[in-house]
């Protein structure tokens, strides 16, 4: 007995807590799929695929893990769902994958927006239904990435008693500022609009019925992009689906990426939510840690099983002793869109902001340098070029090329070569004293690392709509020539600047095509000098923190042998052309994928064309097309969507056409066309 106590004391002193912990649930079950319909109170039935542990003992009970979104569980997501859920099912969980009403094989009319009140009310009923099934132990978890990460947070805010914990990846609660319709409060149009404006008009697999009773209400559902373009600033429309993060009272496992557009929600939750939180932020874009386009990758599902075991099965797997945050500290890498692995190291943080962070201020100087001392009084001017920004990609993330072409049309400020390595972790701020000669202007601040050979790697950045300088809810025109204090809070970043490299901040008024240009030709200015002149604030931390145990390597996933795919819509391919005399720039993107199912073949194709005119910033356009072709036995069905958004100084001109064809002949078509006044955009 004395020897056992001594060993336990030694392990505790060494920080090892696994001695008395339950091991994670092992993979002891097979996988059985069951398709059912869940009745809602209004009579509509929602389609669910249950991934059930096979080989269970008589009377054995299991927790449920719910994922709930519109992305078609029976065709588009079927193969990926099986690979994901089988991991948990083999370890004693019933995974429930539900299409929201009006999508896929669920009944009803499509909801009028993302994260609608109807979606949430249905979600509450689904959770109750799962908790009361004969196989259920009464505990429900909710999980997902992107959409289903968003609504996992939202359902937690509603406090359903059966919902015991969530896992939300690549998700946010900020639906105006941080989502992809108005990035940083400014108009953004991308592939999501193409996909989701066409999706409501499609019927479910494998029948793909053209029966008007089913097709008609879906096909006639208005496109969401039209609705969102009518709500150009924050307010009740964007706030109604969410409550304060402090309303989340249940344990939350959060996963994010330093190149994902939704990463800022994780530090916000760490600051505002008192419920137990486990957070991991890696280097990835919009993906789970095992699926990223670049590494390092790891088997996050093993961490998820530890999480679910503790909160849904009552097994002490030690999650309460885990770091509150494990974050990947990125080290310098050259600007390269094809990197396989991001260099860096994992570190733990047990509080946010990090306890040892030191906010360090660098002042923008008149000679375009950065220095620790205030600058002498000066004013720098910048001619507005609407087409600047193509190197920045689709959103504030991604692997990017060298951004020097953008910097050439920006106000740029560089530090002296660093005398030692410098690490940052948090949200850098550009505090600007800025003015414009027009009533509307956007400002963008980008933080980069300049290598000794001149290569520039962008680290992070953000923008601010000048009309929203005081309030995103009540925007106000700028007074031309008046100087305003602007706080550009850049998106979450980790980075180690090596010795000999320079810190760069670049300021511009365009970031196209990520953000649609403001409509006025103008010159903007930055004022420098004194303690309150334009400056950069960096969250500097020690180079290293406590060691983090290694994550498990990625494990092979179960695969369905009746489905296969080729290609992927994202990331797709970009090309950019310039017409020098007319000063127009065209950015073209397209993506394509093919899937094979037991009942046929699906081909998906999407493209977007953005045009900006530097002589006429008011005249820009975005044209896009999405097409899905089902080659079925005895027929070919094609769904198509065509999107057009053009602008002048006062209006957005919106047009969207949805079509369905059978064997090349038009079956149904509908067009929505409106002129929408620009509201400080």
């Amino acid at each position: 007995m004395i020897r056992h106590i001594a060993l336990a004391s030694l392990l505790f002193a060494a920080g090892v807590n696994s001695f008395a912990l339950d091991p994670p649930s092992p993979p002891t079950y097979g996988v059985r799929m069951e398709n059912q319909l869940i009745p809602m109170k209004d009579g509509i039935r929602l389609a669910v695929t249950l991934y059930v542990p096979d080989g269970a003992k008589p009377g054995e009970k299991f927790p449920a893990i719910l994922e709930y979104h519109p992305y078609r569980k029976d065709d588009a997501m079927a193969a990926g769902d099986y690979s994901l859920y089988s991991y948990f099912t083999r370890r004693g969980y019933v995974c429930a994958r539900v299409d929201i009403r009006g999508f896929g094989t669920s009944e009803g009319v499509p909801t009028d927006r993302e994260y609608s009140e109807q979606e949430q009310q249905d979600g509450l009923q689904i959770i109750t239904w799962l908790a009361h099934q004969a196989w259920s132990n009464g505990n429900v978890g909710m999980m997902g990435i992107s959409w289903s990460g968003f609504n996992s947070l939202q359902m937690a805010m509603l406090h359903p008693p059966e919902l015991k914990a969530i896992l939300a990846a690549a998700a946010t609660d900020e639906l105006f500022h941080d989502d992809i319709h108005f990035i940083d409060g400014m108009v953004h149009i991308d592939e999501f609009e193409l996909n989701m404006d066409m999706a409501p008009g499609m019927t479910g697999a494998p029948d793909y019925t053209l029966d008007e009773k089913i097709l008609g209400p879906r096909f006639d559902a208005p496109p969401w992009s039209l609705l969102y373009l009518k709500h150009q600033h924050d307010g009740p429309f964007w706030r109604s689906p969410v409550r304060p993060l402090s309303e989340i009272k249940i344990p939350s496992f959060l996963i994010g990426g330093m190149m994902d557009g939704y990463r800022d929600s994780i530090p916000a939750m760490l600051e505002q939510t008192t419920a137990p939180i486990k957070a991991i932020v890696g280097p990835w874009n919009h993906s789970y840690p095992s699926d990223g386009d670049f590494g390092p990758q790891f088997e996050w599902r093993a961490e998820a099983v530890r999480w679910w075991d503790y909160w849904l099965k009552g097994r002490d797997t030690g999650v309460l002793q885990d770091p509150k945050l494990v974050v990947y500290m990125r080290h310098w890498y050259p600007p390269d869109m094809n990197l396989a692995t991001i260099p860096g190291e994992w570190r733990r943080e047990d509080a946010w902001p990090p306890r040892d962070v030191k906010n360090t201020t660098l002042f923008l100087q008149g000679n375009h340098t950065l220095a620790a001392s205030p600058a002498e009084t000066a004013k720098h001017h910048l001619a507005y070029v609407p087409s600047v920004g193509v190197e920045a990609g689709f959103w504030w993330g991604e692997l990017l090329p060298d951004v020097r072409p953008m910097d050439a049309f920006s106000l740029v400020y560089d530090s002296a070569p660093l005398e030692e390595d410098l690490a940052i972790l948090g949200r850098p701020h550009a505090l600007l004293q800025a003015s414009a000669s027009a009533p509307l202007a956007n400002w963008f601040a980008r933080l980069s690392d300049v290598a000794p050979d001149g290569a520039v790697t962008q680290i992070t950045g953000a923008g601010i709509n000048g009309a929203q300088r005081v309030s995103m809810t009540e925007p106000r025109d700028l007074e031309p020539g008046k100087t305003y204090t602007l706080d550009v809070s850049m998106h979450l970043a980790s980075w180690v600047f090596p010795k000999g490299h320079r810190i760069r901040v670049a300021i511009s008024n365009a970031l196209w095509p990520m953000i649609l240009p403001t409509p006025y030709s103008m010159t903007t200015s930055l004022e420098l000098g004194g303690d309150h002149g334009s400056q950069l604030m960096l969250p500097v931390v020690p180079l290293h923190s406590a060691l983090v145990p290694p994550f498990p390597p990625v494990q092979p996933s179960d695969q369905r042998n009746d489905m296969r795919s080729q290609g992927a819509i994202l990331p797709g391919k970009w090309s950019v052309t310039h017409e020098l005399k007319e000063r127009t720039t065209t950015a073209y993107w397209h993506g394509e994928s093919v899937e094979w199912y037991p009942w046929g073949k699906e081909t998906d194709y999407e493209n977007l064309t953005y045009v900006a005119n530097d002589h006429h910033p008011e005249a820009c356009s975005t044209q896009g097309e999405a097409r899905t072709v089902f080659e079925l036995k005895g027929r070919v069905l094609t769904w198509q969507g065509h999107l057009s958004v053009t602008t002048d100084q006062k209006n957005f001109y919106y047009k969207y056409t949805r079509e369905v064809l059978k064997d090349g002949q038009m079956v149904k078509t509908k067009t929505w066309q409106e002129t929408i006044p620009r509201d400080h955009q």
Side-chain angles (χ1 to χ4, degrees):
M1 175 64 71
I2 294 175
R3 183 174 181 274
H4 282 240
I5 293 174
L7 177 59
S9 300
L10 179 62
L11 289 170
F12 180 81
V16 179
N17 55 31
S18 60
F19 180 70
L21 300 179
D22 295 328
S25 296
T28 57
Y29 301 92
V31 180
R32 185 177 75 255
M33 297 171 62
E34 299 179 3
N35 288 309
Q36 296 187 30
L37 294 171
I38 304 175
M40 298 291 102
K41 293 177 180 178
D42 62 359
I44 294 298
R45 298 177 301 172
L46 303 187
V48 58
T49 297
L50 297 174
Y51 295 77
V52 182
D54 199 23
K57 300 174 183 177
E60 191 172 2
K61 305 290 186 180
F62 301 102
I65 301 173
L66 168 65
E67 185 167 17
Y68 173 49
H69 58 67
Y71 302 144
R72 303 179 64 86
K73 68 181 181 64
D74 294 307
D75 47 23
M77 302 296 292
D81 285 350
Y82 187 85
S83 296
L84 172 61
Y85 305 138
S86 60
Y87 187 95
F88 301 116
T89 300
R90 292 188 183 280
R91 289 158 175 80
Y93 293 90
V94 173
C95 294
R97 171 62 174 86
V98 181
D99 285 337
I100 70 173
R101 71 166 60 205
F103 288 85
T105 47
S106 286
E107 298 176 349
V109 178
T111 53
D112 60 353
R113 61 174 294 179
E114 302 164 279
Y115 323 122
S116 65
E117 182 179 358
Q118 183 68 67
E119 176 184 336
Q120 295 183 358
Q121 292 304 310
D122 288 347
L124 293 174
Q125 296 177 63
I126 294 167
I127 290 170
T128 298
W129 185 86
L130 291 169
H132 289 85
Q133 295 305 293
W135 45 259
S136 176
N137 73 353
N139 295 329
V140 179
M142 195 166 177
M143 67 166 283
I145 185 170
S146 199
W147 186 308
S148 48
F150 279 55
N151 65 21
S152 293
L153 296 174
Q154 294 162 19
M155 297 308 296
M157 294 169 181
L158 298 178
H159 312 130
E162 306 92 345
L163 185 62
K164 306 302 183 183
I166 64 171
L167 187 157
T172 183
D173 63 308
E174 285 288 343
L175 301 184
F176 177 72
H177 184 271
D178 285 1
D179 203 357
I180 59 170
H181 311 299
F182 291 89
I183 289 180
D184 294 345
M186 293 162 280
V187 178
H188 171 85
I189 299 173
D190 75 5
E191 178 274 340
F192 181 83
E193 272 73 19
L194 297 180
N195 184 290
M196 291 313 301
D197 284 343
M198 187 177 71
M202 299 171 65
T203 51
D207 297 332
Y208 304 104
T209 180
L210 299 183
D211 185 334
E212 182 62 18
K213 292 181 181 178
I214 298 175
L215 175 63
R218 295 185 176 214
F219 197 87
D220 293 339
W224 290 343
S225 59
L226 173 58
L227 175 67
Y228 298 152
L229 198 55
K230 294 179 179 179
H231 293 84
Q232 298 172 36
H233 53 78
D234 208 354
F237 175 83
W238 297 104
R239 294 289 163 184
S240 61
V242 295
R243 299 184 182 186
L245 289 172
S246 59
E247 284 289 301
I248 296 178
K249 306 298 184 184
I250 63 171
S252 302
F253 185 176
L254 310 173
I255 298 175
M258 284 295 174
M259 298 191 194
D260 180 74
Y262 302 141
R263 60 190 181 270
D264 297 341
S265 63
I266 292 180
M269 281 197 68
L270 290 169
E271 290 179 315
Q272 300 174 38
T273 305
T274 58
I277 289 180
K278 173 184 173 72
I280 299 174
V281 181
W284 321 287
N285 195 337
H286 200 59
S287 67
Y288 283 122
S290 58
D291 304 328
D293 295 332
F294 42 84
Q297 302 169 343
F298 69 87
E299 187 49 78
W300 67 275
R301 293 174 298 183
E303 291 296 308
V305 169
R306 293 181 59 240
W307 178 257
W308 296 128
D309 276 1
Y310 188 90
W311 297 110
L312 303 184
K313 290 185 177 180
R315 297 168 55 87
D316 187 0
T317 55
V319 295
L320 291 186
Q321 286 76 50
D322 289 350
K324 199 163 191 175
L325 170 66
V326 175
V327 61
Y328 194 73
M329 177 61 74
R330 294 181 294 163
H331 289 207
W332 175 83
Y333 53 83
D336 182 353
M337 299 178 71
N338 298 300
L339 281 181
T341 299
I342 303 299
E345 62 186 81
W346 293 102
R347 61 190 286 158
R348 67 177 291 162
E349 299 292 341
D350 293 308
W352 193 267
R355 291 192 178 98
D356 47 9
V357 67
K358 180 181 179 182
N359 289 320
T360 302
T361 299
L362 297 174
F363 293 88
L364 280 59
Q365 304 289 319
N367 62 355
H368 290 274
T369 62
L370 294 170
S373 58
E376 295 183 359
T377 300
K379 179 178 283 192
H380 289 165
H381 304 283
L382 180 66
Y384 173 44
V385 181
S387 65
V388 168
V390 294
E391 292 79 15
F394 250 155
W395 64 355
W396 289 108
E398 310 170 73
L399 285 172
L400 300 176
D402 195 310
V403 295
R404 277 180 283 184
M406 295 166 57
D407 292 349
F409 296 92
S410 307
L411 293 176
V412 174
Y413 303 86
D414 289 350
S415 72
L418 296 173
E419 297 180 357
E420 58 185 16
D421 292 355
L422 178 74
I424 63 169
L425 176 61
R427 299 190 63 178
H429 288 251
L431 305 175
L432 307 179
Q433 298 295 324
S435 62
S437 63
L440 181 64
N442 298 329
W443 279 268
F444 299 94
R446 297 178 292 105
L447 179 68
S448 297
D449 182 315
V450 183
D453 65 0
V456 180
T457 304
Q458 185 170 300
I459 301 165
T460 186
I464 187 170
N465 179 334
Q468 299 169 12
R469 61 195 179 276
V470 176
S471 169
M472 290 191 298
T473 303
E474 298 181 358
R476 294 288 184 269
D477 284 351
L478 298 167
E479 181 181 329
K482 182 177 179 179
T483 299
Y484 296 95
T485 300
L486 304 176
D487 183 353
V488 184
S489 179
M490 300 186 208
H491 298 286
L492 178 66
S494 68
W495 194 261
V496 175
F497 293 90
K499 177 182 177 180
H501 286 225
R502 299 174 186 264
I503 300 167
R504 171 172 292 184
V505 64
I507 310 298
S508 66
N509 303 110
L511 202 71
W512 174 89
M514 185 195 304
I515 304 297
L516 297 194
T518 53
Y520 302 103
S521 297
M522 62 180 172
T523 298
T524 62
S525 302
L526 289 183
E527 292 191 3
L528 317 178
D531 293 338
H532 302 291
S534 297
Q535 54 197 265
L536 171 68
M537 185 179 294
L538 297 176
V540 176
V541 294
L543 286 173
H544 305 287
S545 73
L547 294 177
V548 176
F551 288 118
V554 176
Q555 299 177 20
S557 295
D558 293 340
Q559 303 293 328
R560 290 186 62 160
N561 57 18
D562 61 342
M563 297 181 178
R564 62 187 178 93
S565 63
Q566 177 180 302
I569 291 291
L570 291 174
K573 295 184 177 180
W574 281 97
S575 62
V576 180
T577 60
H578 302 277
E579 205 297 315
L580 299 181
K581 183 177 181 181
E582 299 296 329
R583 290 192 63 187
T584 59
T585 301
T586 301
Y588 177 74
W589 169 88
H590 70 279
E592 185 172 359
S593 65
V594 183
E595 291 81 26
W596 288 267
Y597 309 114
W599 55 84
K601 176 184 176 183
E602 174 184 348
T603 302
D604 297 293
Y605 178 81
E606 298 176 6
N607 68 74
L608 282 162
T609 301
Y610 302 88
V611 180
N613 187 318
D614 290 338
H615 285 309
H616 296 281
E618 76 283 0
C620 70
S621 69
T622 304
Q623 313 283 340
E625 179 186 36
R627 182 171 67 251
T628 295
V629 180
F630 294 103
E631 298 176 43
L632 308 170
K633 185 177 181 180
R635 59 181 179 150
V636 176
L637 300 179
T638 303
W639 271 269
Q640 296 180 162
H642 310 272
L643 174 67
S644 172
V645 179
T646 60
T647 66
D648 62 19
Q649 198 170 88
K650 300 297 183 183
N651 298 303
F652 294 101
Y653 299 95
Y654 176 96
K655 183 178 180 181
Y656 181 77
T657 298
R658 188 181 290 148
E659 300 169 338
V660 60
L661 299 87
K662 179 181 178 182
D663 299 328
Q665 300 298 310
M666 191 70 67
V667 173
K668 198 173 181 67
T669 182
K670 185 163 184 173
T671 296
W672 291 261
Q673 188 166 0
E674 290 194 34
T675 299
I676 304 168
R678 298 181 81 136
D679 186 357
H680 297 88
Q681 291 287 345

